Amino acid sequence: MTHHTDTQKDSLIKEAGVMDSLQQTDSTEEAWIEVIHKMDSVYADLVHSQVELEVKNKALEEAQLFINSVLSAMTDTLIVCDTEGVVLQVNSALEKLTGKTKEDYLQHSLNEVFSEDSQAMLDFFPEKMRHESLIDCEVNVHCSDGTTTPLSMNCSSRFDASGILTGMVLIGRPLGELRHAYKKLNFAHNELQRTQQQLIHSEKMASLGRLIAGVAHELNNPISFIFGNMHALERYGSRINQYLNAVDAQIDPPELKKLHKELKIGRIQDDMDSLIEGSLEGAERVNNIIQDLRNYSGGQKEEYSFFELNTVIKKAVNWALKTDKIKPEIQYKLTDEIKINSCKGQIHQVLVNLIQNARDAMETVTHPKLILSTSVSDETVSIHVIDQGIGISEQDAKTIFDPFFTSKPVGQGTGLGLYISYGLAHDLNGDLIFKNNPQGGAEFTLSIPVGSKR
Ligand SMILES: Nc1ncnc2c1ncn2[C@@H]1O[C@H](COP(=O)(O)OP(=O)(O)O)[C@@H](O)[C@H]1O
Ligand SMILES: [Mg+2]
C-alpha cells in the first residue's frame, strides 16, 4: 500500500490552493479540505486493517505450524475424511507405517486405504459415523510394497462449528508391536508354567527322597534281625541235620549223646521258638511299614476310619525327624487317648510337614525344643506344633500358605508344604492356622472334627 507523506499532502494542499486562487471561491476550498480529511481517515483505516491482517496472518501461520507439529509427533496414525469418505488429511505416522506419501492419500477414497478384508467393516462406517463411534476394530491398511499391516482403529465423527456432520477422524494404533509384545508375554507365561511344573515335580521328588530315606531306616531294623535269625537258623539246621543223620545211622547211644552235646542241640531247641517268633515279628513290622506307606503316599482317596490320634502324632514326629542327626528335644503334652474318625494318612502328612518346618525354623537355635500338644473342644480336636524358632514376620504371614512361597535357599525349600497341608486340612473339614508365641517361635494348629464324615 502506498502512503502519502506530509510533504505529499502539503503539495496536494498547495495544488488545491492553486485551484483555489484560480477559482477564488471559499466554498470550493472547504470542499477540498473535507476531501483531504476524508482521504486522511481512509488512509488511517487502511493502515490499521493492514496491521490487523498481518497479526492474524501470523497467528494463522503459528496455528498451522502447531497443528503440523502435533500431527507429525503423533505415533498413532491419523486419517481425516469427509462424509463421502474422501481423505482430507493424514499424518506422518501413517506415511511411515505404509511407506506411502500424503499425495497417495489426499482426495482418494477410504476404500483405497484399507485392504479387501477390512472393506466390510468400512461399509458400516457411514452408518456408524452418524450414530456412534467405532472403538478398537481391527483393520488392515495397504502398504507401498503391496503388503498390508494391521491397525487397531478408533473412529469418531467430526462436526463443524455449527454442529453439522462433516466427516470422520480415524485414529489407528499399529498392531504389529502389540502382537509382538503379546507373543513375548505368552512365551514368558508358558515358561513360568513349565518352571512351576518342574518345581512341583522337584517337591514331589524331594518328599519321595525323604520318604525313601525314612522307609530305608525303618525297614533296616526288622530286616537285619530277620537276617540274623535266618543265619542262625541256617547254622542250627545243618547241626540238626548232622544229628538226625547220626540218629538214622543208629550209632551207639553214648556216641549220640556226645554228639548231642557237641552240636548243642539242647540250646538249639531252647532258641528255636524265640528265633521264629522274632522273625515273624520282624516280618510283621515290615508289613506294618508298608501299610503306613500306602496311607502316606495316598494315591487314591483315603477312606475314613477310626484311629487313635496320639499314636499318629508320635509316628509323624518319628518320620519327620528320622533322618536328622541332631534331633530337637521333644515334649508331648497330649490329652488321654483319643479316637477320631478321619483320614490317618492325611493327618500324618500335614503333621510331618509342620514338624519339618518347625525343625528348619530352629536350625540356629542352640537347644531346639519342639512341643506337641492336643486340645479337644466341641467335637473338634486341635493339634499344636510349637517351636522356638525365628517365628513368622508380619510380611511373610500374608504369603506362607501361597504355593511356592519359601524363605529357604533354592534346593531346600519349594514352598509347597504349607500350601498342600492347608488343602489337606480343609479336605478333612478342618483348618490350619498359625500364630507367633509371645516367648518366641511359631505355633501351627491343625484342627479336625473328631467324627467328621465325608
Ligand atoms: N514354624 C515356622 N517358623 C517360621 N517360619 C515358618 C514356619 N513354617 C513355615 N514357615 C515359613 O513358611 C515358608 C513356607 O513353608 P512351606 O510351605 O512348608 O515351604 P518350604 O518349607 O519348602 O519353604 C517357609 O519357607 C518359612 O519361611
Ligand atoms: Mg516345608
Side-chain angles (χ1 to χ4, degrees), residues 203 210 352-354 356-358 360 406 408 412-418:
E203 166 68 13
R210 285 198 296 270
V352 168
N353 281 338
L354 296 181
Q356 279 170 346
N357 278 348
D360 291 347
T406 180
K408 294 165 197 172
Q412 273 184 39
T414 57
L416 284 170
L418 285 180

Side-chain angles (χ1 to χ4, degrees), residues 377-397:
S377 71
D378 296 344
E379 300 296 298
T380 302
V381 59
S382 298
I383 309 155
H384 312 271
V385 180
I386 305 160
D387 64 49
Q388 296 173 330
I390 42 171
I392 293 148
S393 72
E394 228 175 277
Q395 175 76 20
D396 289 355

Side-chain angles (χ1 to χ4, degrees), residues 292-436:
D292 277 352
L293 205 59
R294 286 227 175 94
N295 285 344
Y296 185 83
S297 65
Q300 322 90 324
K301 274 267 181 220
E302 193 189 343
E303 289 292 320
Y304 270 59
S305 66
F306 276 99
F307 57 89
E308 207 281 307
L309 184 66
N310 290 347
T311 327
V312 176
I313 296 173
K314 286 182 182 160
K315 204 175 257 180
V317 172
N318 286 335
W319 273 89
L321 307 175
K322 197 170 294 167
T323 49
D324 288 12
K325 287 198 183 69
I326 306 159
K327 292 186 190 353
E329 182 197 331
I330 317 273
Q331 194 180 350
Y332 292 108
K333 292 182 181 170
L334 306 175
T335 44
D336 293 340
E337 277 205 357
I338 170 165
K339 280 215 155 192
I340 65 166
N341 184 17
S342 195
C343 296
K344 198 173 166 183
Q346 294 192 18
I347 293 173
H348 174 92
Q349 193 176 349
V350 174
L351 290 177
V352 168
N353 281 338
L354 296 181
I355 295 160
Q356 279 170 346
N357 278 348
R359 174 207 56 199
D360 291 347
M362 295 193 287
E363 212 159 31
T364 52
V365 176
T366 339
H367 297 295
K369 187 165 128 190
L370 179 68
I371 302 172
L372 284 124
S373 70
T374 48
S375 53
V376 191
S377 71
D378 296 344
E379 300 296 298
T380 302
V381 59
S382 298
I383 309 155
H384 312 271
V385 180
I386 305 160
D387 64 49
Q388 296 173 330
I390 42 171
I392 293 148
S393 72
E394 228 175 277
Q395 175 76 20
D396 289 355
K398 293 180 204 145
T399 45
I400 57 166
F401 287 124
D402 288 353
F404 307 113
F405 171 78
T406 180
S407 58
K408 294 165 197 172
V410 180
Q412 273 184 39
T414 57
L416 284 170
L418 285 180
Y419 170 71
I420 292 171
S421 299
Y422 188 86
L424 289 174
H426 281 257
D427 207 32
L428 297 172
N429 298 318
D431 202 3
L432 178 61
I433 56 167
F434 66 90
K435 65 173 186 185
N436 282 320

